[in-house]
Amino acid sequence: VCSSDLEKITEEAMTSFRTMPDDQLVWIFNLWSYLGLMNSNGLPDIFHKELFEKLSRVIPQRISRKPENWTMMSVSPLNMAPTPDSHMAPFIDQILIQANLDYDIERQNSDGTWALDWSWEQDNPEAWAIAEKEWKAHLAIGKLRILRSYHRFP
């Protein structure tokens, strides 16, 4: 991708971000996308500042405070601050972060994986049998990295 294409895509993403009302910035994939953009190498400082100011204001309000809502695709404390040095970590109640760590540790299966909270087995059982193992591995690696970053490796 050439730099002019990246600049155009970045401008389009920022236009979308600027025009999205705070109360509509709730979907986990939007939040992850904007956090990813904010962490991009070479992002102009003005865009980084704009993303940081809005996300640090909005994300703490969106964090689910109920453990039963801390799914893979929820606005949970650890999904928004997967490491202590994450941009959003200072804006999230540290008690919630520790509770989310405890929650994840308690839910680890004896084989070292975590249960998936979604499935498409009904659509293609044979493919799901393979994909489920891969997704569990992906989830386990991610959770173990988070636990290690917070010095809570089980």
Side-chain angles (χ1 to χ4, degrees):
V1 179
C2 69
S3 63
S4 64
D5 289 339
L6 284 175
E7 289 172 14
K8 182 179 177 187
I9 292 167
T10 302
E11 279 292 343
E12 289 175 9
M14 290 305 298
T15 298
S16 174
F17 181 74
R18 288 180 189 117
T19 59
M20 184 177 292
D22 287 6
D23 65 346
Q24 290 182 17
L25 194 54
V26 295
W27 196 43
I28 187 68
F29 295 105
N30 284 346
L31 294 171
W32 276 335
S33 295
Y34 291 126
L35 285 170
L37 179 59
M38 186 173 69
N39 292 321
S40 297
N41 291 331
L43 183 71
D45 289 342
I46 188 73
F47 292 160
H48 184 275
K49 182 177 187 245
E50 200 173 333
L51 287 160
F52 181 80
E53 286 176 357
K54 187 171 184 174
L55 292 173
S56 63
R57 182 181 70 246
V58 170
I59 286 177
Q61 298 169 12
R62 301 289 180 267
I63 295 288
S64 175
R65 284 154 174 71
K66 296 180 180 179
E68 61 269 20
N69 295 334
W70 292 340
T71 65
M72 252 180 96
M73 296 180 209
S74 70
V75 185
S76 68
L78 294 177
N79 277 344
M80 296 294 97
T83 65
D85 61 347
S86 300
H87 285 297
M88 294 300 113
F91 302 97
I92 299 170
D93 184 342
Q94 293 303 302
I95 293 171
L96 281 175
I97 288 176
Q98 293 304 314
N100 198 166
L101 291 162
D102 292 342
Y103 179 85
D104 283 354
I105 290 168
E106 291 166 10
R107 277 156 185 72
Q108 186 178 25
N109 296 324
S110 61
D111 67 357
T113 65
W114 280 262
L116 299 175
D117 51 31
W118 54 271
S119 171
W120 45 264
E121 180 179 17
Q122 70 284 355
D123 297 328
N124 189 335
E126 294 164 5
W128 177 249
I130 296 166
E132 181 182 24
K133 292 174 186 163
E134 293 172 355
W135 276 109
K136 279 184 163 185
H138 174 78
L139 178 61
I141 291 167
K143 287 195 179 286
L144 291 171
R145 284 181 176 157
I146 290 169
L147 292 171
R148 182 178 58 200
S149 77
Y150 280 98
H151 307 287
R152 295 285 302 276
F153 201 77

